[in-house]
mmCIF file of all heavy atoms in Angstrom:
data_model
loop_
_atom_site.group_PDB
_atom_site.id
_atom_site.type_symbol
_atom_site.label_atom_id
_atom_site.label_comp_id
_atom_site.label_asym_id
_atom_site.label_seq_id
_atom_site.Cartn_x
_atom_site.Cartn_y
_atom_site.Cartn_z
ATOM 1 N N ASN T 87 146.639 109.124 48.576
ATOM 2 C CA ASN T 87 145.239 109.546 48.598
ATOM 3 C C ASN T 87 144.991 110.410 47.364
ATOM 4 O O ASN T 87 144.592 109.922 46.319
ATOM 5 C CB ASN T 87 144.969 110.286 49.916
ATOM 6 C CG ASN T 87 143.629 110.978 49.959
ATOM 7 O OD1 ASN T 87 142.767 110.708 49.127
ATOM 8 N ND2 ASN T 87 143.452 111.885 50.889
ATOM 9 N N GLN T 185 141.860 107.180 42.945
ATOM 10 C CA GLN T 185 141.152 106.951 44.205
ATOM 11 C C GLN T 185 142.118 106.837 45.384
ATOM 12 O O GLN T 185 143.284 106.488 45.208
ATOM 13 C CB GLN T 185 140.312 105.661 44.108
ATOM 14 C CG GLN T 185 139.145 105.740 43.150
ATOM 15 C CD GLN T 185 139.461 105.180 41.775
ATOM 16 O OE1 GLN T 185 140.628 104.992 41.411
ATOM 17 N NE2 GLN T 185 138.429 104.919 40.991
ATOM 18 N N ASP T 186 141.570 107.112 46.559
ATOM 19 C CA ASP T 186 142.340 107.028 47.804
ATOM 20 C C ASP T 186 142.489 105.553 48.194
ATOM 21 O O ASP T 186 141.655 104.993 48.899
ATOM 22 C CB ASP T 186 141.568 107.811 48.879
ATOM 23 C CG ASP T 186 142.223 107.734 50.246
ATOM 24 O OD1 ASP T 186 143.329 107.171 50.359
ATOM 25 O OD2 ASP T 186 141.613 108.239 51.204
ATOM 26 N N HIS T 316 135.296 99.579 50.107
ATOM 27 C CA HIS T 316 136.343 99.359 49.121
ATOM 28 C C HIS T 316 136.557 97.860 49.024
ATOM 29 O O HIS T 316 136.266 97.110 49.956
ATOM 30 C CB HIS T 316 137.668 99.971 49.606
ATOM 31 C CG HIS T 316 137.974 101.307 49.020
ATOM 32 N ND1 HIS T 316 138.398 101.462 47.725
ATOM 33 C CD2 HIS T 316 137.945 102.550 49.549
ATOM 34 C CE1 HIS T 316 138.619 102.757 47.484
ATOM 35 N NE2 HIS T 316 138.346 103.437 48.570
ATOM 36 N N ARG T 347 127.859 101.936 49.680
ATOM 37 C CA ARG T 347 128.299 102.677 48.491
ATOM 38 C C ARG T 347 129.561 101.967 48.017
ATOM 39 O O ARG T 347 130.495 101.779 48.808
ATOM 40 C CB ARG T 347 128.593 104.129 48.841
ATOM 41 C CG ARG T 347 129.247 104.935 47.719
ATOM 42 C CD ARG T 347 129.410 106.373 48.165
ATOM 43 N NE ARG T 347 130.068 107.222 47.209
ATOM 44 C CZ ARG T 347 131.124 108.002 47.515
ATOM 45 N NH1 ARG T 347 131.630 108.003 48.740
ATOM 46 N NH2 ARG T 347 131.660 108.776 46.605
ATOM 47 N N HIS T 350 135.385 103.188 45.261
ATOM 48 C CA HIS T 350 134.900 104.180 44.312
ATOM 49 C C HIS T 350 134.944 103.559 42.920
ATOM 50 O O HIS T 350 135.542 104.105 42.008
ATOM 51 C CB HIS T 350 135.771 105.427 44.325
ATOM 52 C CG HIS T 350 135.803 106.175 45.629
ATOM 53 N ND1 HIS T 350 134.665 106.676 46.238
ATOM 54 C CD2 HIS T 350 136.807 106.531 46.442
ATOM 55 C CE1 HIS T 350 134.994 107.302 47.350
ATOM 56 N NE2 HIS T 350 136.288 107.229 47.521
ATOM 57 N N GLU T 375 137.997 108.817 39.289
ATOM 58 C CA GLU T 375 138.393 109.855 40.240
ATOM 59 C C GLU T 375 139.633 110.572 39.703
ATOM 60 O O GLU T 375 140.611 109.925 39.321
ATOM 61 C CB GLU T 375 138.657 109.268 41.642
ATOM 62 C CG GLU T 375 139.239 110.310 42.586
ATOM 63 C CD GLU T 375 139.078 110.027 44.079
ATOM 64 O OE1 GLU T 375 138.234 109.193 44.462
ATOM 65 O OE2 GLU T 375 139.824 110.648 44.862
ATOM 66 N N HIS T 377 141.116 113.237 41.564
ATOM 67 C CA HIS T 377 141.295 114.127 42.711
ATOM 68 C C HIS T 377 142.603 114.920 42.671
ATOM 69 O O HIS T 377 142.673 116.058 43.149
ATOM 70 C CB HIS T 377 141.233 113.279 43.989
ATOM 71 C CG HIS T 377 140.828 114.043 45.199
ATOM 72 N ND1 HIS T 377 140.616 113.453 46.407
ATOM 73 C CD2 HIS T 377 140.595 115.353 45.389
ATOM 74 C CE1 HIS T 377 140.277 114.369 47.294
ATOM 75 N NE2 HIS T 377 140.248 115.531 46.700
ATOM 76 N N ASN T 422 133.863 109.663 41.926
ATOM 77 C CA ASN T 422 134.173 110.369 43.164
ATOM 78 C C ASN T 422 135.246 111.421 42.899
ATOM 79 O O ASN T 422 136.184 111.177 42.143
ATOM 80 C CB ASN T 422 134.695 109.371 44.195
ATOM 81 C CG ASN T 422 134.933 110.004 45.547
ATOM 82 O OD1 ASN T 422 133.990 110.547 46.139
ATOM 83 N ND2 ASN T 422 136.165 109.949 46.049
ATOM 84 N N GLU T 423 135.096 112.554 43.511
ATOM 85 C CA GLU T 423 136.140 113.576 43.538
ATOM 86 C C GLU T 423 136.845 113.743 42.198
ATOM 87 O O GLU T 423 138.065 113.554 42.077
ATOM 88 C CB GLU T 423 137.132 113.265 44.661
ATOM 89 C CG GLU T 423 136.409 113.362 45.989
ATOM 90 C CD GLU T 423 137.279 113.205 47.213
ATOM 91 O OE1 GLU T 423 138.168 112.345 47.193
ATOM 92 O OE2 GLU T 423 137.066 113.932 48.182
ATOM 93 N N MET T 463 130.007 115.337 51.410
ATOM 94 C CA MET T 463 130.843 114.536 52.294
ATOM 95 C C MET T 463 131.358 115.402 53.437
ATOM 96 O O MET T 463 131.734 116.551 53.237
ATOM 97 C CB MET T 463 131.992 113.850 51.560
ATOM 98 C CG MET T 463 132.801 114.686 50.604
ATOM 99 S SD MET T 463 134.243 113.769 49.980
ATOM 100 C CE MET T 463 133.502 112.748 48.713
ATOM 101 N N TYR T 464 131.294 114.861 54.645
ATOM 102 C CA TYR T 464 131.876 115.479 55.849
ATOM 103 C C TYR T 464 131.280 116.831 56.207
ATOM 104 O O TYR T 464 131.930 117.631 56.876
ATOM 105 C CB TYR T 464 133.400 115.580 55.725
ATOM 106 C CG TYR T 464 134.006 114.260 55.305
ATOM 107 C CD1 TYR T 464 134.547 114.075 54.034
ATOM 108 C CD2 TYR T 464 133.964 113.181 56.174
ATOM 109 C CE1 TYR T 464 135.051 112.845 53.642
ATOM 110 C CE2 TYR T 464 134.470 111.947 55.791
ATOM 111 C CZ TYR T 464 135.014 111.793 54.522
ATOM 112 O OH TYR T 464 135.499 110.576 54.147
ATOM 113 N N GLU T 502 129.665 110.435 52.256
ATOM 114 C CA GLU T 502 130.714 110.088 53.219
ATOM 115 C C GLU T 502 130.512 110.975 54.437
ATOM 116 O O GLU T 502 130.256 112.165 54.307
ATOM 117 C CB GLU T 502 132.116 110.354 52.643
ATOM 118 C CG GLU T 502 132.457 109.458 51.464
ATOM 119 C CD GLU T 502 133.822 109.768 50.839
ATOM 120 O OE1 GLU T 502 134.712 110.295 51.538
ATOM 121 O OE2 GLU T 502 133.975 109.474 49.643
ATOM 122 N N HIS T 505 134.425 110.049 59.566
ATOM 123 C CA HIS T 505 135.683 109.441 59.133
ATOM 124 C C HIS T 505 136.214 108.535 60.247
ATOM 125 O O HIS T 505 136.613 109.019 61.302
ATOM 126 C CB HIS T 505 136.656 110.587 58.842
ATOM 127 C CG HIS T 505 137.851 110.201 58.077
ATOM 128 N ND1 HIS T 505 139.089 110.057 58.663
ATOM 129 C CD2 HIS T 505 138.006 109.929 56.767
ATOM 130 C CE1 HIS T 505 139.957 109.726 57.723
ATOM 131 N NE2 HIS T 505 139.330 109.639 56.575
ATOM 132 N N TRP T 533 132.592 106.809 56.285
ATOM 133 C CA TRP T 533 133.889 106.578 55.646
ATOM 134 C C TRP T 533 134.791 105.937 56.684
ATOM 135 O O TRP T 533 135.182 106.588 57.611
ATOM 136 C CB TRP T 533 134.527 107.862 55.101
ATOM 137 C CG TRP T 533 135.725 107.429 54.319
ATOM 138 C CD1 TRP T 533 137.016 107.318 54.793
ATOM 139 C CD2 TRP T 533 135.734 106.942 52.981
ATOM 140 N NE1 TRP T 533 137.816 106.780 53.814
ATOM 141 C CE2 TRP T 533 137.058 106.540 52.702
ATOM 142 C CE3 TRP T 533 134.744 106.769 52.004
ATOM 143 C CZ2 TRP T 533 137.418 105.999 51.463
ATOM 144 C CZ3 TRP T 533 135.107 106.237 50.778
ATOM 145 C CH2 TRP T 533 136.441 105.864 50.518
ATOM 146 N N GLU T 534 135.163 104.691 56.605
ATOM 147 C CA GLU T 534 134.746 103.702 55.663
ATOM 148 C C GLU T 534 134.640 102.368 56.374
ATOM 149 O O GLU T 534 134.863 102.291 57.576
ATOM 150 C CB GLU T 534 135.737 103.625 54.480
ATOM 151 C CG GLU T 534 137.131 103.146 54.909
ATOM 152 C CD GLU T 534 138.103 103.019 53.733
ATOM 153 O OE1 GLU T 534 137.814 102.274 52.775
ATOM 154 O OE2 GLU T 534 139.161 103.664 53.795
ATOM 155 N N PHE T 566 146.588 107.385 56.315
ATOM 156 C CA PHE T 566 145.256 107.875 55.950
ATOM 157 C C PHE T 566 144.406 106.779 55.307
ATOM 158 O O PHE T 566 143.205 106.918 55.131
ATOM 159 C CB PHE T 566 145.403 109.072 54.998
ATOM 160 C CG PHE T 566 144.254 110.036 55.068
ATOM 161 C CD1 PHE T 566 143.954 110.694 56.250
ATOM 162 C CD2 PHE T 566 143.463 110.281 53.952
ATOM 163 C CE1 PHE T 566 142.887 111.590 56.311
ATOM 164 C CE2 PHE T 566 142.402 111.173 54.004
ATOM 165 C CZ PHE T 566 142.112 111.831 55.189
ATOM 166 N N ASP T 569 141.319 103.857 57.866
ATOM 167 C CA ASP T 569 140.216 104.658 58.395
ATOM 168 C C ASP T 569 138.910 103.891 58.379
ATOM 169 O O ASP T 569 137.854 104.431 58.067
ATOM 170 C CB ASP T 569 140.107 105.983 57.632
ATOM 171 C CG ASP T 569 140.135 105.778 56.130
ATOM 172 O OD1 ASP T 569 140.079 104.616 55.691
ATOM 173 O OD2 ASP T 569 140.204 106.771 55.397
ATOM 174 N N CYS T 967 139.366 114.045 59.137
ATOM 175 C CA CYS T 967 138.749 114.433 57.865
ATOM 176 C C CYS T 967 137.318 114.809 58.202
ATOM 177 O O CYS T 967 136.417 113.998 58.062
ATOM 178 C CB CYS T 967 138.811 113.268 56.880
ATOM 179 S SG CYS T 967 138.100 113.651 55.284
HETATM 180 C C1 GAL E 1 137.120 111.578 50.725
HETATM 181 C C2 GAL E 1 137.329 110.583 49.614
HETATM 182 C C3 GAL E 1 137.631 109.215 50.108
HETATM 183 C C4 GAL E 1 138.668 109.287 51.177
HETATM 184 C C5 GAL E 1 138.207 110.168 52.278
HETATM 185 C C6 GAL E 1 139.231 110.350 53.365
HETATM 186 O O1 GAL E 1 137.367 112.856 50.291
HETATM 187 O O2 GAL E 1 136.219 110.536 48.768
HETATM 188 O O3 GAL E 1 138.036 108.438 49.038
HETATM 189 O O4 GAL E 1 139.825 109.818 50.643
HETATM 190 O O5 GAL E 1 137.972 111.454 51.784
HETATM 191 O O6 GAL E 1 139.676 109.184 53.899
#
Side-chain angles (χ1 to χ4, degrees):
N87 170 14
Q185 292 96 344
D186 177 6
H316 261 285
R347 172 177 178 232
H350 297 302
E375 173 159 342
H377 204 175
N422 185 59
E423 296 185 319
M463 47 173 80
Y464 310 109
E502 294 177 26
H505 195 256
W533 188 267
E534 65 178 302
F566 208 61
D569 48 8
C967 181

